[in-house]
Amino acid sequence: MLGGAAPAGSVLLTEAQRAQGKISAVCIPILESIISIMLLQPVATVNTVEEQRARWERKRSRTAKELVETEQKYLEQLDLVTTYFVTILKAKGTLQPAVREAIFGLLESIHCTSQILLLHLERGHLGLGLEGFCQKLELYGRYAENLEQAKKTLQEQVKRNKAFCRFKKLQESRPEFLGWQLEDLLPLPLQRLHQYKHLFRDLMENTSPDSVEFQHLAKAVKSVSEVSQWVHSTVRSHENSMQLLRVQKLLKGQKTKVLTPGRWYIQEGWLMVVPTKGEEVKRKMFFLFSDILVATKPCHPLHPLNSDKFSCQAVYPLTQCTVDKVFGHTQSQGGLLSLSFPHKTLLLMSSNQEDINNWYLNLTTAIKQLKARPTLVHQKKYLTEQPVSSREAHTVQKMCQDL
């Protein structure tokens, strides 16, 4: 090289290789460039690490800012409920204390928890804020358990309590509400819990594991995830109860009890029952639950009371049921399932390939889960080995309990 000292790589080549004549003049410049790059590699690595840390810090700053801003908005919305409803209703006495508690429940405590958290966040005390917040997260789980009852109580008061109905409309017409109704604001804590889960995780992923705040964030992520699962289970349980109640109302009479503790709704639909003795194929409505399969037929369309209902024909316990797909393994038109019980075989057919696959999957999954959980409701004595006909359904009724 001209006009300066030779690079270290060039010196090495001159002393070790050129003197021995082992490298041609053409290869020497290439090797010198490679060696120079190798000598500078540690510097490039350091720069890459610093750039990554800078990106993490930028992401962390953005997420922290988003957490503060969304918490402020969340608190403003909670203020609408606590200020214009809870506080005033306490003073006016428009609702009985028990009714007011049933509607708003732990909302004031959640509001207070959010105020404290926001105070710490605005002062930059993330760790201290999360430590206190995690101790109050149980409030969200308990609030979720009462939410559906709160909505029901609110609806009843709107219908029956004219004074409360007028008060509610007056408060909701305030400009601060921006068109929001009380029914829209009650689920806010559960929506915010979902946001906490993602915000805390994003903060943790962009925080150095060596920092004190990382430990607080890791604990917060774990706690919020556990409560979120609690809330999810609560919501799922309520949805299942609504499905069971809906099916119970669809069935004529009270002989077949669908509302049973521990039972889960899975699927329903029309299937063709293929007879074993040359009779006509019959189209029936089936309801699949976690422990039984209910076969029904529609009531007469001209029936004065039950024209929109179904008559139960049989209840098949799944405890000793095996399912085989007779045909429908390939992309054919529909398929046929064989359900074997100790004293009966049921052949179910559908012309829809996807439909028959769903029934097969749900049936086999339900049976597998039954066998894996011997303490569930399916083990109770009322579930005999034989399918239960509508005439024998009264034995089921005695052992079942209403939800």
Side-chain angles (χ1 to χ4, degrees), residues 2-71:
L2 300 176
S10 178
V11 173
L12 289 175
L13 286 175
T14 301
E15 294 179 353
Q17 306 296 339
R18 289 179 180 174
Q20 298 178 18
K22 293 184 178 179
I23 299 180
S24 66
V26 177
C27 296
I28 289 174
I30 299 175
L31 290 174
E32 288 178 347
S33 299
I34 294 174
I35 294 174
S36 298
I37 293 172
M38 292 175 63
L39 291 173
L40 293 174
Q41 190 65 33
V43 178
T45 303
V46 171
N47 291 336
T48 302
V49 172
E50 292 300 326
E51 290 173 0
Q52 181 62 48
R53 287 176 178 173
R55 284 195 294 270
W56 286 343
E57 184 58 35
R58 288 194 296 270
K59 290 181 181 179
R60 186 180 186 281
S61 298
R62 287 196 300 267
T63 306
K65 181 181 179 183
E66 182 183 358
L67 176 60
V68 172
E69 292 176 348
T70 54
E71 190 70 15

Side-chain angles (χ1 to χ4, degrees), residues 274 324-330 332-338 348-351 353 356-357:
V274 181
D324 295 306
K325 188 180 288 187
V326 180
F327 67 85
H329 299 83
T330 59
S332 58
Q333 295 295 322
L336 178 68
L337 301 181
S338 173
L348 303 179
M349 183 175 66
S350 174
S351 59
Q353 177 74 35
I356 206 69
N357 288 339

Side-chain angles (χ1 to χ4, degrees), residues 236-246 259 264 403:
R236 185 167 174 263
S237 178
H238 171 74
E239 292 174 349
N240 179 68
S241 298
M242 293 298 99
Q243 289 282 33
L244 295 180
L245 181 61
R246 179 186 62 83
L259 291 167
W264 288 84
L403 187 66

Side-chain angles (χ1 to χ4, degrees), residues 208-225:
S208 173
D210 299 328
S211 68
V212 177
E213 285 188 348
F214 181 86
Q215 304 303 323
H216 289 294
L217 284 167
K219 181 181 178 181
V221 169
K222 182 176 182 294
S223 299
V224 171
S225 297

Side-chain angles (χ1 to χ4, degrees), residues 301-321:
L302 299 180
H303 194 285
L305 299 176
N306 301 318
S307 59
D308 58 344
K309 295 188 176 183
F310 294 88
S311 175
C312 178
Q313 292 192 301
V315 178
Y316 299 94
L318 300 180
T319 45
Q320 297 187 24
C321 173

Side-chain angles (χ1 to χ4, degrees), residues 79-280:
D79 280 337
L80 296 177
V81 182
T82 57
T83 302
Y84 294 107
F85 278 95
V86 181
T87 303
I88 298 178
L89 285 172
K90 283 182 179 180
K92 290 173 62 70
T94 307
L95 295 178
Q96 294 293 327
V99 176
R100 187 182 67 246
E101 182 69 20
I103 296 176
F104 301 103
L106 298 169
L107 199 62
E108 281 187 296
S109 299
I110 291 175
H111 177 260
C112 181
T113 300
S114 181
Q115 285 179 314
I116 297 173
L117 175 61
L118 181 59
L119 182 64
H120 288 302
L121 293 177
E122 290 176 337
R123 294 178 177 178
H125 303 156
L126 178 62
L128 185 60
L130 291 179
E131 184 177 0
F133 177 75
C134 288
Q135 297 174 2
K136 301 293 184 180
L137 265 175
E138 182 185 355
L139 293 171
Y140 283 82
R142 290 162 56 193
Y143 184 83
E145 290 182 335
N146 184 65
L147 183 58
E148 293 304 323
Q149 182 60 44
K151 292 179 180 178
K152 183 179 179 180
T153 304
L154 177 59
Q155 291 175 353
E156 292 174 351
Q157 291 301 310
V158 169
K159 291 179 180 179
R160 301 176 183 178
N161 191 330
K162 294 182 179 180
F164 174 73
C165 185
R166 289 193 299 268
F167 171 79
K168 178 176 177 290
K169 290 181 179 180
L170 178 64
Q171 300 302 79
E172 291 170 347
S173 66
R174 290 176 176 272
E176 296 91 338
F177 277 76
L178 300 174
W180 289 86
Q181 293 185 335
L182 182 57
E183 291 85 348
D184 303 320
L185 297 172
L186 289 180
L188 283 176
L190 304 190
Q191 298 170 10
R192 183 57 178 167
L193 182 68
H194 182 71
Q195 293 174 344
Y196 284 141
K197 183 178 179 180
H198 295 285
L199 289 170
F200 291 168
R201 180 178 288 116
D202 289 346
L203 279 173
M204 183 185 70
E205 291 176 350
N206 292 286
T207 299
S208 173
D210 299 328
S211 68
V212 177
E213 285 188 348
F214 181 86
Q215 304 303 323
H216 289 294
L217 284 167
K219 181 181 178 181
V221 169
K222 182 176 182 294
S223 299
V224 171
S225 297
E226 291 173 351
V227 176
S228 295
Q229 183 60 41
W230 177 5
V231 171
H232 175 74
S233 299
T234 300
V235 173
R236 185 167 174 263
S237 178
H238 171 74
E239 292 174 349
N240 179 68
S241 298
M242 293 298 99
Q243 289 282 33
L244 295 180
L245 181 61
R246 179 186 62 83
V247 176
Q248 184 70 73
K249 291 180 178 180
L250 280 175
L251 299 180
K252 182 186 71 173
Q254 298 295 323
K255 289 184 177 181
T256 306
K257 287 293 182 180
V258 172
L259 291 167
T260 299
R263 177 172 292 160
W264 288 84
Y265 168 87
I266 299 178
Q267 183 182 1
E268 66 186 67
W270 293 96
L271 290 171
M272 305 299 292
V273 179
V274 181
T276 56
K277 296 183 179 179
E279 300 174 359
E280 292 184 0

